[in-house]
Amino acid sequence: LRPGAKKERLERRNAEEEERRKRLVAADEVYIQELTASGVLRPCPKCKVQMEKNAGCMHMKCTRCKHDFWWCCGRPYSTPHSVYSACN
């Protein structure tokens, strides 16, 4: 091996891994945007962490900040609400 070949290989491998990481992050961002647009993901009204709703009633509790809220409108869960009324 010529001098510096090992260092060049390591730098090339690191650059390739960084490019792969960037592609994965970009793909994840697109996927999150699609889930948000479809209504599957929404931010917690209090701390803004992304939350997923896949089944169940409209009552949600954020796992990060413990905020209770209505999924359909984002109002606090303590707010009187009828599950049969439209969230406006």
Side-chain angles (χ1 to χ4, degrees), residues 32-45:
I32 288 171
Q33 289 171 356
E34 290 171 355
L35 290 175
T36 301
S38 71
V40 174
L41 285 181
R42 290 186 187 170
C44 167

Side-chain angles (χ1 to χ4, degrees), residues 32-76:
I32 288 171
Q33 289 171 356
E34 290 171 355
L35 290 175
T36 301
S38 71
V40 174
L41 285 181
R42 290 186 187 170
C44 167
K46 187 174 180 184
C47 72
K48 306 303 183 210
V49 69
Q50 288 291 334
M51 298 179 65
E52 178 182 13
K53 175 133 181 78
N54 55 17
C57 68
M58 292 292 134
H59 173 225
M60 296 293 286
K61 184 175 194 117
C62 179
T63 56
R64 179 191 277 172
C65 70
K66 309 301 184 212
H67 179 61
D68 284 297
F69 65 97
W70 292 102
W71 178 262
C72 53
C73 62
R75 289 184 283 174

